[in-house]
Amino acid sequence: MPDISLTNITSLAAVSIAISVVAAFLIHWVLYAIAVRVVRARMTPILLPAIFQPTRWLVVLFALGAGVQPLELGPRVEALWSIGSKMLFALLAGWLLLRTLRAVRQMIESHSDINAEDNLKARQRHTRVRILYRIAQSMIAVLVIAMVLIAIPGVRSIGVTLAASAGLVGLAVGAAAQPALKNLIAGIQMAFSEPIRLDDVVIVEGEWGRIEDITLTFVAVRIWDDRRMVVPVSYFLEKPFQNWTTRTSDLLGTVFFYVDPAADVGRIRDAFVDAVKANRRWDGRVAILQVTDHRADALELRGLLSARNAGIAFDLRCEVREAVMDFLRMQMPEALVRSRHRLEPGEGFEQWAPPTRPSAAAE
């Protein structure tokens, strides 16, 4: 008779749990379908697909709790279920928060096109969202781990035991983690002060590149030849560097020419301006040529031109330099730099005189 009653109780528990799980799946599916239909009528759903899996398993966990609650499973099983359910809830809640944060980040970034021509505001938004997203990720991970550990009674007692020595341990850990904490605080500060943003053009350690990624501890700079320079976040708050796109991506470029001092600068200036205006990369703002230096053997001419961004400005400088040099070579060869030397008698050689024939007596 006890075996039959135990079998009946076990069967009843299995049926109760199975009904709870099936009901949870059905309720979640119906609610999700209704929510997707309502949201899709207004916009493309991004948040709902992201939270589908975490919310489904959370509903299942709640249903299991409701199905197990009226059953008498014994003290050992109830203790295991209590610890396990709390740990599962912490993990699922953390999963839900991370997926929600990721969906919110995607929604914000989808409304800010970083590939647009004038993308300053988009880069600001992307940079701030990315840094804050990673800060939130770290905080959620720490909270989930803490909730999982708190759910285990043995870990709680160990934590209480170690509380007396927490001061020394904290000092040791703080000293060891000082660089990491320094970069973490610098990353939080960078999210609001914004000395750099994603896709900014910078010169760091003498290298020209673009900001490719910003994390909580380091910044990846993509160098012009596709190398990557990894720089600590604190570098951009402590050391000077060049940022060519702080306010706008528009940029002035320079081209230098060295010509003969007797060259007609006016003709060269006209050729330079014509070459700039004929180039499709020019943005129509600045095109000027000036004499910036005078040497004994050459004039230094500096041409200023403008473009929409640093990459276009570099190509424009190269093409205009080539066009002006072609003009000098074909139209004004006399303007090319040449070396002039004039030697006077007595400066290292004797004055030349025609040889004289010997007299007949001498012969």
Side-chain angles (χ1 to χ4, degrees):
M1 187 68 180
D3 294 338
I4 296 174
S5 61
L6 181 62
T7 304
N8 292 335
I9 292 174
T10 304
S11 302
L12 181 62
V15 171
S16 175
I17 293 173
I19 292 175
S20 301
V21 171
V22 172
F25 274 108
L26 289 176
I27 293 173
H28 180 268
W29 182 79
V30 171
L31 293 177
Y32 179 79
I34 294 173
V36 168
R37 180 168 295 184
V38 172
V39 173
R40 189 172 292 170
R42 301 180 180 180
M43 66 182 75
T44 302
I46 298 178
L47 179 62
L48 290 177
I51 65 174
F52 174 76
Q53 294 291 345
T55 53
R56 181 173 67 174
W57 293 111
L58 275 173
V59 171
V60 170
L61 181 62
F62 291 145
L64 282 174
V68 171
Q69 186 175 5
L71 302 176
E72 295 183 1
L73 304 176
R76 184 177 181 82
V77 176
E78 288 181 357
L80 291 175
W81 166 251
S82 176
I83 296 173
S85 61
K86 291 177 181 178
M87 295 175 65
L88 283 174
F89 175 77
L91 293 173
L92 291 175
W95 187 19
L96 176 61
L97 290 175
L98 290 175
R99 295 295 294 268
T100 303
L101 283 174
R102 184 177 179 181
V104 172
R105 171 190 167 186
Q106 290 177 349
M107 287 189 293
I108 295 175
E109 291 182 347
S110 64
H111 291 85
S112 304
D113 186 10
I114 200 172
N115 296 317
E117 190 65 38
D118 187 8
N119 60 356
L120 178 60
K121 292 184 178 180
R123 289 188 289 110
Q124 289 177 337
R125 188 171 297 176
H126 276 247
T127 302
R128 186 167 296 177
V129 167
R130 183 168 299 189
I131 295 177
L132 294 178
Y133 169 72
R134 284 173 176 159
I135 294 173
Q137 273 186 318
S138 303
M139 296 176 62
I140 291 173
V142 172
L143 290 175
V144 169
I145 294 173
M147 291 175 65
V148 170
L149 294 178
I150 289 174
I152 306 174
V155 173
R156 283 204 303 264
S157 62
I158 293 174
V160 173
T161 305
L162 294 176
S165 59
L168 295 177
V169 174
L171 290 176
V173 173
Q178 184 178 1
L181 293 175
K182 179 181 178 182
N183 287 320
L184 178 62
I185 295 173
I188 298 173
Q189 183 179 353
M190 187 177 294
F192 297 97
S193 60
E194 292 186 344
I196 57 172
R197 293 173 293 269
L198 289 174
D199 205 42
D200 267 351
V201 177
V202 296
I203 295 181
V204 181
E205 298 293 325
E207 297 282 0
W208 185 96
R210 291 180 179 271
I211 302 297
E212 186 177 48
D213 193 14
I214 302 176
T215 68
L216 291 181
T217 55
F218 68 88
V219 176
V221 182
R222 182 177 180 178
I223 309 301
W224 63 273
D225 56 359
D226 282 344
R227 290 178 294 149
R228 266 65 174 181
M229 179 184 293
V230 179
V231 186
V233 172
S234 58
Y235 178 95
F236 294 95
L237 298 176
E238 297 176 352
K239 296 184 179 181
F241 64 95
Q242 295 185 38
N243 189 337
W244 291 8
T245 52
T246 301
R247 297 297 180 186
T248 177
S249 60
D250 296 341
L251 197 67
L252 291 180
T254 57
V255 184
F256 288 93
F257 304 99
Y258 296 92
V259 298
D260 190 87
D264 187 351
V265 178
R267 288 183 62 190
I268 301 175
R269 180 179 293 111
D270 294 339
F272 173 82
V273 174
D274 292 340
V276 173
K277 292 182 176 179
N279 196 298
R280 59 183 178 84
R281 304 180 191 276
W282 184 54
D283 64 357
R285 291 189 299 123
V286 178
I288 187 173
L289 184 75
Q290 296 173 312
V291 179
T292 54
D293 196 6
H294 176 225
R295 303 175 185 175
D297 58 342
L299 290 179
E300 181 185 79
L301 308 182
R302 185 190 69 179
L304 284 178
L305 40 79
S306 58
R308 292 188 298 274
N309 57 55
I312 296 177
F314 179 82
D315 293 335
L316 178 62
R317 290 166 56 200
C318 295
E319 294 174 6
V320 169
R321 184 185 294 111
E322 181 180 351
V324 174
M325 292 306 299
D326 286 342
F327 169 79
L328 294 177
R329 179 174 55 84
M330 299 175 63
Q331 303 293 331
M332 296 181 64
E334 70 279 3
L336 298 175
V337 177
R338 65 194 69 188
S339 298
R340 295 180 174 87
H341 299 283
R342 181 177 179 179
L343 299 179
E344 298 292 343
E347 296 181 356
F349 70 97
E350 298 294 335
Q351 185 173 5
W352 180 84
T356 56
R357 289 180 59 83
S359 61
E363 290 180 358

